[in-house]
């Protein structure tokens, strides 16, 4: 759609794809045409995403009245029409005409005429309203942060308790508290529950132990949730002293279920966030979990049993939390089995997130820096509470399935106790009735409470032309949105069926789409060729790379927790995070020119070298390469690297002196080193803002540890990997499937 077709002709009338994108940039008029095309119809939404440097904030509007259609409740937007000399506006969803309020043309305070076409709700496709009283069931809730920390022997010995306590102490200034109402509480968990009275009248935090977990209750009527402002000194003393309280523990038991129930009891009258730091397998009460990891079933059809929850307690608990506006975020620390397949349902149902540190080592400075960076961003990013999200669409369109972390309250209403800026939501749609208009409209409304205590509504409006031209459907298809949607459907298929079924389904959807295009637009002489329009030519590569991702790769050496975490991320990835995760960015930095690593004066962005194909054919013996996949950063060092480059990059005279492994690149004083660090810093900033992930840095030598080499080489998606074909072989396989 052209912005010139909007009512204000503003360039901001077009919804940015980073907020909302559709798999099709031309919608078919009927379901029959859609079915024939084999293109999936869906939306990818990231309504509360964190802003990247240089991006304009979403305009905030506080009108005397929020203007909505009387019939379908659509918010006025840049794609309505003014009729009857501008006195009424025609809804672009249901076509009902509504009265234009007087304040659109007259400012009662200045008593002057105003230009309605400059109003943000008519010039911007993404806008945020400050909601009036009628949008509130109760006064806006304060921010509640309740920390549940595993203090069992395994958690203490791993260094998790010490590292988390120190990092939270550093992050206190980042806690959202702009209105001064934020409350904080702590529960420590082993075989008992340890509550803490943090009342500001206390000179020290008071620990209250609940040894009888079968009849657990809250040990104090007040003080367990304390004002961040008033009890700051007591909180600081608790976090400074918490590791010492449990340093000598010998308890290997963990009653996580009872801790979660107590946490929900503490905050369910208000709502808020339960932030869980877990390092051991829960083994007490009805929420106990068994060690069920079995290397013999990894990579087999039976692996699906490890990817499904083994205990129904956690999902049922999460549903109860969602009803009370309580979300759960899980921070998991363990190289041993934690059963993330079960624990991750806490975040899945409550709109939360999962964070996983399987190789966490407190003696590694990079691991501590990663935890610190991610927690600082976690607390300082925008926070939306007690939210509901609804998507409206033009008459004839129907939402059929939803993917992401939420609780589906009704057919089109998602309950989100908190809105994570990192999370996206995918929606599949179907065409129930022929579309009556030349334009289809999709409007998302996110009603939420901001961390500053204001009730707000973020509205995103996307318009797409309707066509009966089969060719327009294919030339307007968005290959990146299609791949993102299919990956989320694949995760669901993995859990409900098995890994092979998910892989087969994705290949089938790809071959069906290519076959539909071939049947409609290729001649008999092109029968044996694999032909796609320019805008879909990368779709086979994207799907092949998705199949090679840890979430879907056929392998007998991927632990179930690692695969579950990869699938949990895939389920919430926006397209911008999904793409580098399946198809990393790869550069040769030994040959980069002098502008790389510097800021581009025109864009203000760091200049990167040209991107390379993800193939080992690009690896030269004398080369130094940089690769990032959104979660990790790799430096590949060829054995024939020049001594001068060794000195510039690593501060050592030769290849033999380079230390491989999880190591930060040394910061040296030369210009080349500074520019490479600019590249790394830019990647880390981008990933931290986009997905609260600060990538680890690995230095991989050509002849270094085989596992480390394989970790890097598995990122080269165009090569043959395990049972996965190389890109040329995959294209041949797809061509054969299409020609059957």
């Amino acid at each position: 759609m052209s912005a010139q077709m909007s009512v204000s002709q503003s360039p901001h009338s077009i919804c940015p794809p980073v907020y909302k994108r559709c798999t099709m940039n031309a919608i078919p008029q009927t379901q029959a045409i859609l079915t024939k095309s084999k293109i999936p119809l869906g939306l990818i939404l990231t309504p509360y995403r964190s802003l990247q440097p240089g991006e304009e904030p979403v305009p905030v509007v506080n009108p005397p009245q929020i203007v909505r259609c009387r019939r379908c409740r659509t918010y006025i937007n840049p794609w309505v029409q003014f009729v009857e000399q501008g006195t009424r506006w025609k809804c672009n969803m249901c076509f009902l005409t509504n009265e234009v309020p007087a304040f659109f043309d007259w400012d009662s305070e200045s008593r002057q005429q105003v230009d309605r076409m400059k109003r943000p709700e008519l010039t911007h496709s993404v806008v945020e309203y400050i909601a009036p009283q009628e949008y509130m069931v109760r006064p806006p809730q304060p921010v509640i942060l309740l920390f549940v920390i595993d203090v069992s022997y395994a958690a203490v010995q791993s260094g998790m308790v010490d590292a988390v306590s120190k990092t939270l102490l550093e992050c206190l200034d980042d806690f959202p508290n702009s209105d001064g109402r934020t409350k904080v509480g702590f529960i420590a968990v082993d075989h008992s529950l340890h509550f803490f009275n943090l009342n500001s009248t206390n000179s020290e935090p008071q620990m209250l132990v609940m040894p009888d977990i079968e009849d657990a209750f809250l040990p104090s009527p007040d003080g367990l949730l304390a004002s961040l402002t008033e009890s700051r000194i007591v909180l600081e003393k608790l976090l400074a002293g918490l590791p010492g309280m449990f340093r000598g523990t010998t308890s290997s038991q963990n009653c996580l279920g009872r801790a979660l129930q107590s946490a929900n009891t503490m905050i369910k009258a208000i709502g808020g966030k339960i932030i869980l730091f877990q390092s051991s397998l829960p083994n007490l009460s009805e929420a106990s979990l068994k060690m069920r990891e079995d290397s013999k079933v990894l990579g087999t059809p039976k692996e699906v049993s490890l990817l499904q929850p083994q205990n129904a307690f956690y999902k049922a608990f999460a549903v109860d939390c969602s009803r009370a506006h309580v979300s759960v975020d899980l921070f998991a620390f363990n190289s041993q089995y934690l059963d993330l397949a079960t624990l991750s349902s806490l975040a899945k149902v409550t709109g939360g997130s999962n964070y996983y540190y399987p190789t966490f080592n407190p003696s590694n400075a990079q691991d501590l820096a990663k935890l610190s960076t991610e927690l600082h961003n976690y607390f300082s990013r925008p926070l939306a509470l007690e939210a509901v999200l609804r998507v409206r669409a033009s008459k004839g369109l129907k939402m059929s399935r939803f993917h992401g972390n939420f609780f589906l309250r009704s057919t089109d209403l998602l309950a989100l106790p908190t809105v994570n800026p990192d999370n996206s939501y995918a929606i599949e749609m179907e065409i129930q009735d022929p579309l009556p208009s030349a334009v289809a409209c999709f409007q998302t409304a996110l009603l939420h409470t901001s961390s500053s205590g204001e009730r707000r509504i973020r509205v995103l409006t996307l318009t797409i032309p309707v066509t009966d031209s089969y060719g327009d459907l294919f030339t307007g298809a968005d290959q990146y949105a299609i791949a993102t949607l299919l990956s989320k459907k694949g995760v669901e298929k993995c859990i409900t069926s098995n890994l092979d079924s998910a892989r087969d389904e994705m290949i089938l959807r790809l071959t069906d789409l290519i076959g539909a295009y071939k049947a409609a637009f290729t001649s008999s002489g092109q029968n044996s060729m694999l032909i796609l329009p320019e805008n879909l030519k990368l779709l086979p590569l994207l799907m092949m790379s998705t199949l090679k991702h840890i979430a879907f790769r056929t392998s007998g050496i991927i632990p179930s927790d690692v695969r579950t975490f990869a699938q949990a991320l895939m389920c919430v990835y926006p397209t911008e995070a999904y793409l580098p995760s399946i198809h990393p960015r790869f550069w040769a930095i030994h040959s980069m020119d002098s502008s790389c690593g510097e800021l581009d004066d025109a864009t203000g962005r760091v200049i990167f070298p040209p991107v390379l194909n993800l193939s080992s054919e690009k690896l030269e013996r004398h080369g130094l390469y940089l690769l990032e996949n959104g979660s990790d950063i790799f430096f590949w060092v060829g054995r024939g690297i020049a001594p001068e480059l060794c000195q510039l990059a690593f501060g050592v005279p030769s290849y033999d002196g380079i230390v491989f492994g999880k190591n930060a690149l040394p910061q040296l004083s030369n210009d080349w080193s500074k520019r490479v660090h600019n590249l790394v810093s830019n990647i880390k900033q981008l990933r931290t803002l986009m997905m609260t992930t600060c990538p680890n840095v690995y230095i991989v030598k050509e002849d270094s540890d085989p596992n480390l080499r394989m970790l890097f080489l598995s990122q080269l998606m165009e090569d043959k990997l395990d049972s996965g074909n190389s890109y040329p072989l995959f294209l041949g396989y797809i061509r054969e499937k299409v020609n059957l």
Side-chain angles (χ1 to χ4, degrees), residues 340-355:
L340 289 186
T342 301
L343 295 181
S344 63
S345 60
L346 293 167
K348 173 79 175 173
V349 177
T350 64
S353 292
N354 297 292
Y355 304 89

Side-chain angles (χ1 to χ4, degrees), residues 164 236 312:
V164 166
E236 290 176 351

Side-chain angles (χ1 to χ4, degrees), residues 258-270:
R258 290 286 184 263
L260 291 172
Q261 288 172 329
S262 297
N264 190 35
T265 301
M266 283 173 63
I267 67 175
K268 67 181 180 181
I270 308 171

Side-chain angles (χ1 to χ4, degrees), residues 155-172:
V156 172
Q157 291 301 308
S158 70
M160 184 272 281
V161 176
D162 190 67
V164 166
S165 299
K166 288 180 179 178
T167 307
L168 290 178
L169 183 58
E170 296 169 1
C171 290
L172 283 177

Side-chain angles (χ1 to χ4, degrees), residues 82-88 116:
F82 289 108
V83 296
E84 299 181 24
Q85 289 76 49
T87 60
R88 301 183 70 82
R116 69 170 65 170

Side-chain angles (χ1 to χ4, degrees), residues 680-740:
V680 173
S681 297
N682 180 267
I683 293 168
K684 286 188 172 185
Q685 180 189 41
L686 174 67
R687 300 306 168 204
T688 301
L689 285 174
M690 183 179 292
M691 288 301 297
T692 313
T693 299
C694 180
N696 283 313
V697 176
Y698 294 90
I699 296 174
V700 187
K701 296 170 68 175
E702 186 178 337
D703 58 359
S704 61
D705 175 69
N707 291 331
L708 191 59
R709 288 182 73 254
M710 181 51 62
L711 182 62
F712 171 82
L713 294 173
S714 68
Q715 310 298 316
L716 302 180
M717 296 300 179
E718 296 184 23
D719 290 346
K720 183 176 175 58
L721 172 66
D722 292 338
S723 60
N725 287 327
S726 66
Y727 187 40
L729 288 176
F730 181 79
L731 290 177
Y733 170 71
I734 295 298
R735 185 170 58 247
E736 289 177 7
K737 297 274 286 185
V738 171
N739 291 332
L740 284 177

Side-chain angles (χ1 to χ4, degrees), residues 347-636:
K348 173 79 175 173
V349 177
T350 64
S353 292
N354 297 292
Y355 304 89
Y356 186 36
Y357 305 85
T359 59
F360 182 76
N361 179 0
S363 62
N364 186 305
Q366 191 173 185
D367 281 356
L368 292 175
K370 174 181 173 66
L371 177 63
S372 177
T373 300
E374 292 181 2
L375 281 178
H376 276 288
N377 185 71
Y378 172 83
F379 290 114
S380 60
R381 67 190 182 183
L383 176 63
L385 306 165
E386 51 180 346
V388 290
L389 184 147
R390 172 169 272 135
V391 180
R392 294 178 174 86
S394 295
K395 185 178 179 181
L397 288 163
K398 178 189 174 184
M399 316 297 151
S400 57
R401 296 192 72 113
F402 297 83
H403 305 274
N405 289 2
F406 55 81
F407 179 68
L408 190 61
R409 188 178 293 178
S410 65
T411 55
D412 65 346
L413 189 68
L414 309 187
L416 301 166
T418 60
V419 185
N420 187 334
D422 303 342
N423 288 1
S424 72
Y425 312 92
I427 303 171
E428 295 181 70
M429 293 174 292
E430 57 188 41
I431 303 171
Q432 278 189 312
D433 301 305
L435 302 183
S437 172
V439 175
C441 182
F442 306 92
Q443 189 175 83
T444 304
L446 179 69
L447 175 63
H448 64 280
T449 299
S450 70
S451 56
S452 59
E454 283 184 324
R455 199 68 174 149
R456 292 189 173 191
I457 310 161
R458 179 166 292 194
V459 178
L460 304 88
T461 306
L462 173 67
T463 53
I464 299 174
V466 174
T467 182
D468 57 3
S469 166
Y470 204 52
D472 289 346
L473 297 187
F474 282 95
T475 56
D478 182 338
Q479 59 190 342
Y480 304 115
I482 291 171
T484 306
L485 178 61
L486 292 181
S487 72
K488 297 179 190 301
K489 287 171 63 66
V491 169
E492 188 173 295
K493 189 77 171 179
C494 272
I495 298 169
T496 58
S497 183
N498 58 57
L499 201 60
D500 287 340
S501 295
R503 293 170 56 86
D504 291 344
E505 179 71 18
M506 285 190 277
I507 290 174
L508 178 64
R509 297 301 295 265
L510 173 64
T511 54
D512 281 352
L513 190 155
I514 296 174
Y517 182 79
K518 175 186 173 185
F521 299 107
T522 59
S523 61
S524 57
Q526 298 173 310
N527 272 346
S528 62
M529 302 173 67
L530 196 62
I531 298 177
L532 280 169
E534 196 66 33
N535 56 296
L536 288 175
K537 282 191 174 178
L538 291 180
L539 188 58
L541 175 63
L542 296 175
M543 296 316 302
M544 181 199 71
S545 299
T546 301
L547 295 173
K548 290 184 177 182
H549 188 271
I550 289 177
F552 301 106
R553 186 190 311 163
T554 301
S555 172
I557 60 172
I558 300 173
S560 62
D561 278 348
V562 173
R563 193 186 294 278
T564 293
F565 180 63
Q567 291 181 348
L569 286 180
M570 191 72 74
C571 196
V572 300
Y573 269 153
T575 300
E576 295 72 31
Y578 159 75
L579 291 175
S581 77
I582 60 139
H583 196 266
R585 299 191 295 168
F586 185 35
W587 305 276
I589 56 174
H590 60 279
S591 58
M592 66 180 187
D593 64 40
S594 59
S595 67
C596 294
E598 302 287 359
L599 285 179
D600 186 326
D601 293 334
T603 64
R605 297 178 180 176
V606 174
I607 300 171
F608 277 77
V611 175
L612 301 178
N613 285 9
L614 289 169
S615 170
S616 56
E617 293 180 358
K618 299 296 180 182
L619 297 175
E620 298 180 352
R621 295 271 299 182
H622 64 276
L624 177 59
Y625 299 87
L626 172 63
L627 181 146
E628 75 97 7
N629 62 11
S631 301
D632 298 302
I633 295 172
F634 297 91
F635 285 94
W636 172 273

Side-chain angles (χ1 to χ4, degrees), residues 214-236:
E214 296 307 319
D215 192 23
F217 58 91
L218 299 184
S220 175
D222 54 30
L224 300 182
L225 283 177
S227 165
L228 175 60
T229 302
E230 297 173 3
S231 299
R232 175 66 180 258
I233 294 176
V234 184
L235 282 166
E236 290 176 351

